[in-house]
Amino acid sequence: MSVRLYAMTCGWLTMPMPMLMHGTEGKLKIPVPAYFIRHPKGTVVFDSGMSMKVQQQGAKALGALEAYFDVHYEPNEEISARLAEVDMDASKIDFLVSSHLHFDHCGGNALIPNARWIVQKNEWAAASNRGTPVSKQYNPADFDHGHDRIEADGEYDIFGDQSVRCIPTHGHTPGHQSLIVETGSGPIVLCGDACYLRKTIEEMWLPARSVVHDETLMRASLERLKSLQQGGARLMYGHDPEFWADIPQAPIAVA
Ligand SMILES: [Zn+2]
């Protein structure tokens, strides 16, 4: 049985370095990654990139976050167009997994309308209970599109064979999750924003406090990712441009 993994860049963002690594200066242009997984029993997308509104209006579409980001997001970089490059019709995707519900991870959810949507229970609660302080960092227009929702509470084995499974990596947000994919060339972990950059884990260099929901949980999640790495897993960092430059893009498979 073979599981194929494809990486897709769904635009780029330029953002302040301190938001990625506290105490640094300047800006960094970062990729917005999404992934497609073909399993014998079905298809999975991990993170859906940014919304079409962001593609059309740029940073203006980000509301209160406008001041922090420059958006580089061209037509045909949206998730549905990226999937077409691997001959996959976005409307036929079986499962959509959201690492978390920030705009650059679930803004393309509307483009994958018929998938069952897997999100951690506490992420959904944080993002959907409007009016709380934490809910301000989420925009329901990104993610709330009536998908058949699976609220995972911790680990979630998508196909029941351990080959594609969500693991809780809370901390960046209340219910962040990562995905382990068992490929023919070994396990690969799609970290999402549990680990922005290679340096985040190699130097335990956390982002600015303002973008870390719970530092203790985030450190524990990084330790878990590190132990997976020490056990032979390859980590795919959330937004590392140097690392990303060497990752084959769809239609070429990563593994
Ligand atoms: Zn992100």
Side-chain angles (χ1 to χ4, degrees), residues 6-8 82 85-86 248-253:
Y6 299 86
M8 305 173 291
R82 291 300 195 208
E85 290 170 23
V86 285
Q249 294 288 304
I252 299 167

Side-chain angles (χ1 to χ4, degrees), residues 28-198:
L28 189 67
K29 186 175 177 184
I30 59 161
V32 176
Y35 299 87
F36 169 59
I37 297 138
R38 208 186 271 284
H39 180 283
K41 287 194 202 152
T43 51
V44 182
V45 165
F46 179 78
D47 282 350
S48 63
M50 299 182 280
S51 70
M52 293 309 288
K53 194 176 170 192
V54 174
Q55 190 176 95
Q56 287 147 8
Q57 301 179 0
K60 268 201 288 296
L62 303 180
L65 296 175
E66 178 183 354
Y68 299 101
F69 294 97
D70 291 325
V71 173
H72 323 274
Y73 185 27
E74 301 297 323
N76 294 320
E77 291 181 336
E78 66 273 16
I79 185 74
S80 48
R82 291 300 195 208
L83 287 166
E85 290 170 23
V86 285
D87 294 323
M88 187 68 218
D89 178 346
S91 70
K92 296 192 173 137
I93 292 289
D94 297 310
F95 294 97
L96 170 60
V97 180
S98 294
S99 63
H100 64 303
L101 301 180
H102 285 165
F103 76 94
D104 54 324
H105 296 265
C106 64
N109 281 17
L111 300 171
I112 306 180
N114 302 315
R116 297 186 74 198
W117 180 38
I118 305 170
V119 61
Q120 288 284 317
K121 184 178 166 186
N122 37 2
E123 186 70 6
W124 170 254
S128 62
N129 292 332
R130 305 309 295 170
T132 62
V134 73
S135 72
K136 290 199 183 83
Q137 54 184 303
Y138 301 101
N139 178 3
D142 284 326
F143 57 82
D144 200 358
H145 296 283
H147 288 89
D148 175 12
R149 189 175 65 251
I150 298 169
E151 291 182 35
D153 189 5
E155 298 214 8
Y156 187 84
D157 179 3
I158 298 179
F159 297 106
D161 62 0
Q162 297 284 312
S163 64
V164 185
R165 58 193 200 276
C166 303
I167 57 164
T169 45
H170 306 338
H172 172 65
T173 59
H176 190 285
Q177 62 184 347
S178 302
L179 193 72
I180 303 183
V181 185
E182 299 287 346
T183 73
S185 49
I188 297 181
V189 185
L190 313 180
C191 297
D193 289 356
C195 184
Y196 279 142
L197 310 168
R198 191 193 299 272

Side-chain angles (χ1 to χ4, degrees), residues 14-36:
T14 299
M15 67 183 284
M17 269 303 293
M19 285 173 75
L20 299 159
M21 296 167 68
H22 73 84
T24 53
E25 289 178 354
K27 292 188 166 201
L28 189 67
K29 186 175 177 184
I30 59 161
V32 176
Y35 299 87
F36 169 59

Side-chain angles (χ1 to χ4, degrees), residues 233-254:
R234 241 174 108 186
L235 303 185
M236 303 287 276
Y237 309 109
H239 290 294
D240 190 323
E242 267 179 52
F243 165 79
W244 197 245
D246 294 330
I247 302 301
Q249 294 288 304
I252 299 167
V254 172

